[in-house]
Amino acid sequence: MGSIQHTESPVATAAPGRHAPPATAAEPPPRREVWLAAWPVTAVFILSNTATPLYVLWQRRLGFSSGMLTAVFACYIVGLLAALLVAGVVSDRVGRKPVLLPALALGIVAGVLFATAGSIAALAIARLLSGVAVGAIVSAGMAAVTDVAGPERRRLAALLASTAMVLGAGLGPLLAGVLSEALPGPTVTVFVVEIALLVLAVLVVARMPLPRPAGPRPGAWVRVPSVPRANRVHLLLGIAVFAPGITSTSFVLSLGPSLLADLLGTSSRVVAGATAFVMFTAATAVQFAVRRLKVAAILPAGAVSTVGAMASLALAVHLSATPLLALAAVLAGAGQGMGQLGGLTLISARVPAARLAEANAALNVGGYIPAGLLPVAVGYLSDAVGLSTGTTVFSAVVATAALAGGAVVAARRRTAL
């Protein structure tokens, strides 16, 4: 384990002329402190998907194609991946707060840009900045939850960090859908609310009792995040299931509203937001449901769920069946949730604390690269051959990847899990 000292906690000193009391082991913090530490993760992930049901409004107002819509979505992935190249390493070397506070500030700027967007360029920049904020949060924010929880509660920390991510991802589009239908300023009001939530997250981070690294370590500050050689197999097994799962949910987020409008005959922003919310509620619920299972059982179940999601998605577009699209969303959420929980649990249990934020970044790089590339490719393919054909191709590719990932995990479960 890396040498880490707690410099932000108060230290008692002995009165003059008296001997200092004997040192005692630090007690773990109250459980509520661990839950509170997960709030910044939730707040930033609310921002990450708030725009989902609003794209149809911007698309109508600004006039851009499905391909351009997925390209705007991909700006988020670009920002996220760029942050992952830096945030994990910086967080492990200089501390969590110097990464978290600027990330939350960028999230606030992104919220302002979304609320005032009058062009595709403004939307793209807002998505880029929100991606940077998310990339920093999945590196430093999730590691901060583990730091606050302490070594005795690492499994709880992995569960809370993972569920905070997917819960926020689901709340964002639901809030946007409801507020845009119920209140004036359909593309403004929800971002005002989100800015207030991010300000609360700043206050939470400011008071966190977070550790700081003992000293500098050698190596590049900007690099592809990695883990120690002994932990590479654990990272790869997590990515094998997490990547297809998050790719399937990314498709629902980027093209789900278009599917609802073009194939299933509804343009309701509440329905679009509720679909995303149901997807991520499933991702949250399934993690609590399987939290006591071994990782060797969680990861294969995640792969099976993603395969089922892709089969349901393909059938939904060919049969124009809303219930099948809802089922696809639920299964995709469950697939991402189990892949994410399994991967984070492996990392939290096996990777040294001094490399934990970088390991979180590495897991997310492995997941978000296909999650960014495949939906964009399908968006442009759908412009050429139709949304139904494009969705079918996407479903086949992701299902094949999930099957392969599940097979790899099954083959290594006795030796690596």
Side-chain angles (χ1 to χ4, degrees):
M1 303 289 286
S3 58
I4 293 181
Q5 58 184 1
H6 291 264
T7 59
E8 299 180 23
S9 301
V11 179
T13 57
R18 295 184 181 181
H19 293 291
T24 57
E27 294 185 1
R31 189 174 290 256
R32 65 177 179 275
E33 293 291 332
V34 186
W35 285 76
L36 189 61
W39 168 248
V41 178
T42 302
V44 170
F45 271 91
I46 290 174
L47 173 67
S48 71
N49 292 332
T50 296
T52 296
L54 306 179
Y55 282 132
V56 290
L57 294 177
W58 285 313
Q59 199 169 12
R60 190 181 308 136
R61 184 192 309 164
L62 303 175
F64 51 86
S65 66
S66 294
M68 181 58 68
L69 189 155
T70 53
V72 170
F73 179 82
C75 289
Y76 164 79
I77 304 294
V78 170
L80 188 151
L81 292 175
L84 291 176
L85 297 178
V86 181
V89 175
V90 172
S91 174
D92 285 335
R93 291 185 181 185
V94 305
R96 312 303 185 206
K97 288 186 182 181
V99 174
L100 292 176
L101 292 174
L104 292 169
L106 286 179
I108 292 170
V109 173
V112 172
L113 287 174
F114 274 126
T116 59
S119 66
I120 296 174
L123 286 177
I125 294 171
R127 286 300 284 166
L128 182 73
L129 293 180
S130 63
V132 173
V134 169
I137 286 293
V138 298
S139 304
M142 291 183 167
V145 179
T146 302
D147 290 344
V148 172
E152 303 86 359
R153 292 174 172 168
R154 284 195 160 214
R155 192 173 180 98
L156 172 65
L159 174 64
L160 292 182
S162 185
T163 54
M165 172 179 167
V166 293
L167 180 62
L171 284 174
L174 181 64
L175 280 174
V178 172
L179 294 181
S180 68
E181 294 275 8
L183 297 176
T187 60
V188 176
T189 305
V190 68
F191 292 108
V192 174
V193 173
E194 170 58 12
I195 289 168
L197 297 179
L198 289 169
V199 170
L200 289 177
V202 170
L203 299 178
V204 169
V205 170
R207 65 175 295 276
M208 277 187 191
L210 292 172
R212 293 175 183 169
R217 299 202 316 270
W221 287 78
V222 180
R223 67 182 188 220
V224 176
S226 63
V227 295
R229 183 181 297 273
N231 302 120
R232 288 177 185 173
V233 65
H234 307 122
L235 174 65
L236 292 175
L237 290 176
I239 290 173
V241 177
F242 175 53
I246 198 169
T247 302
S248 65
T249 58
S250 292
F251 177 85
V252 175
L253 289 171
S254 60
L255 287 177
S258 296
L259 279 174
L260 287 167
D262 295 348
L263 298 179
L264 306 181
T266 178
S267 58
S268 169
R269 296 186 293 278
V270 174
V271 172
T275 300
F277 178 73
V278 166
M279 179 171 68
F280 286 112
T281 298
T284 304
V286 76
Q287 292 182 67
F288 280 97
V290 304
R291 69 188 186 279
R292 300 188 187 280
L293 298 180
K294 294 182 178 179
V295 173
I298 294 173
L299 287 175
V304 170
S305 185
T306 300
V307 172
M310 293 301 95
S312 299
L313 180 63
L315 287 173
V317 298
H318 285 287
L319 299 177
S320 296
T322 304
L324 283 174
L325 182 61
L327 177 61
V330 169
L331 291 174
Q336 178 188 330
M338 286 187 279
Q340 183 175 299
L341 177 62
L344 285 174
T345 301
L346 273 178
I347 287 172
S348 294
R350 305 295 183 94
V351 176
R355 298 286 298 276
L356 186 56
E358 186 178 358
N360 289 339
L363 177 69
N364 282 279
V365 166
Y368 275 104
I369 286 177
L373 294 177
L374 280 177
V376 171
V378 171
Y380 281 102
L381 177 65
S382 298
D383 286 340
V385 301
L387 194 53
S388 178
T389 301
T391 301
T392 302
V393 171
F394 173 85
S395 299
V397 171
V398 174
T400 300
L403 283 172
V408 170
V409 169
R412 299 299 300 269
R413 62 190 304 172
R414 291 186 178 181
T415 59
L417 302 179

